[in-house]
Amino acid sequence: MMGYEQMNQMTMTTTAMMKNYNKRGLNNNTPQKKMTRRSVSAIDGGAAAAAAEKGDRSQNLKTLDLSGMSLASLSASSINLASISKLDLSNNNIQKIPESLVARMLNLSALDLHSNQLKTLPNSIGCLSKLKFLNVSGNYLQFLPKTIEDCRSLEELNANFNELTRLPDAIGFELTNLTKLSVNSNKIVQLPQSVSHLTSLRVLDARLNRLGSLPEDLENLVNLQVLNVSQNFQYLTTLPYSVGLLISLVELDVSYNGITVLPHSLGCLRRIQKLSVQGNPLISPPFEVVEQGLEALKQYMSEKMTESYKKTPTKKKSWGIGKLVKYGLSSSPGRRTGRGDERQGFINVSDYRQIDGIASPRHMSLFNPRRLLSPLSAYFSPPRY
């Protein structure tokens, strides 16, 4: 049996070690992540909330975590909401977010509302000018408020697993900092044309919807690396030619749709590493080409595009100014660039008449006032039928 003196001595030694450990812990200069998890009363107000707020002011509150607390509703609280930068309300039973509550979160940069019972978002969400991350997935939203366009700092928007049928029309004109847009598992029929103006976008996930088409000017998405429009099933039957002009595209998934013909422009995707086309009733390219893999499919598409270009009438080639803008300064089929690589399927700039050539001295005589006002001038002659 251990004597009383021995036990007392061990107790004193343990106490001294704990004090020394705590002292080292307090003097530790390693930065710690500030996170506060509040009880339900912290949102509902009351004396407990006031006491908690008083203590949090000294801690410079940054994150408020109320996830998984079975909250059914929220009300304006006595908390200084302007001090919160991150708010997690996920995995609750919240049906409505008060307008006044959101309007007070002026410094909020991240808001997580996923897995609740929300049917609408408050219009005051447009007041969150510093919001960069918004997750509203796993709710019952049928639309996003138009005021979300005022969240111009937004970089990531996750609205997966809702009942969305559309997105705000001007979302692409306003949310220019958006890098990731996830709207999969909804009922969206068409993406707004303004999406093609999201020049910072890197990931666009619109699978498992009812998309009947994609915007025509997708080539403007110069930073897009991942495009997933798979599993729109019988609704999506064609892809725009501009898909092949996405210069940064690394991954393209168009599987399980109703697509019969892939655009020949896919042969231009130089950075593509993953292309999923299974589950489509493809006619072109044929199945035997698809099963050979990505490189065989790209080569087939490039050859088809070259053949199509050669069959184009000369007049269309010489005045295809629209195509000139899209293709840029690229080499013609079969020619080699200064880097030594063969650039098949591109149009040569020399095939087009330059606009500044019309204004050269050789053509200026065409715009001479005497010539234009002459009775014999072809410019004012009556039309011939």
Side-chain angles (χ1 to χ4, degrees), residues 239 254 259-266 275 277 280 282 284-285 290 297 301:
L239 294 176
V254 295
I259 301 171
T260 56
V261 178
L262 294 177
H264 297 159
S265 59
L266 294 185
L275 177 59
V277 297
N280 285 283
L282 286 176
S284 176
V290 174
L297 191 147
M301 289 299 187

Side-chain angles (χ1 to χ4, degrees), residues 74-219:
L74 299 173
S75 61
S77 69
S78 58
I79 301 173
N80 180 17
L81 297 175
S83 65
I84 301 174
S85 64
K86 297 179 181 179
L87 176 60
D88 189 350
L89 292 169
S90 62
N91 293 293
N92 283 293
N93 299 313
I94 301 171
Q95 298 181 11
K96 187 176 182 180
I97 306 291
E99 296 276 355
S100 59
L101 190 71
V102 175
R104 293 164 57 189
M105 302 178 184
L106 301 179
N107 292 306
L108 200 66
S109 62
L111 178 58
D112 193 345
L113 297 170
H114 86 263
S115 302
N116 276 283
Q117 306 291 321
L118 294 172
K119 294 183 178 180
T120 59
L121 293 178
N123 289 321
S124 58
I125 198 169
C127 299
L128 306 181
S129 59
K130 297 182 180 180
L131 191 66
K132 294 184 178 181
F133 173 85
L134 177 61
N135 188 348
V136 293
S137 62
N139 284 281
Y140 298 95
L141 301 174
Q142 295 182 1
F143 63 91
L144 297 177
K146 189 178 185 302
T147 53
I148 200 172
E149 298 168 359
D150 296 326
C151 301
R152 293 183 175 86
S153 298
L154 200 61
E155 296 178 2
E156 292 190 22
L157 174 57
N158 185 342
N160 300 333
F161 296 97
N162 278 282
E163 297 180 1
L164 298 175
T165 57
R166 58 184 175 84
L167 296 176
D169 290 336
I171 190 172
F173 297 131
E174 305 296 341
L175 303 184
T176 55
N177 292 312
L178 204 63
T179 60
K180 185 176 181 179
L181 176 59
S182 297
V183 290
N184 77 61
S185 305
N186 281 281
K187 301 176 182 179
I188 299 175
V189 176
Q190 187 176 21
L191 294 175
Q193 290 294 327
S194 65
V195 166
S196 61
H197 291 265
L198 295 172
T199 54
S200 299
L201 198 65
R202 296 182 180 178
V203 178
L204 175 55
D205 184 359
R207 56 190 152 141
L208 283 165
N209 276 282
R210 299 176 182 177
L211 293 177
S213 62
L214 298 178
E216 290 293 334
D217 298 328
L218 288 180
E219 71 270 18

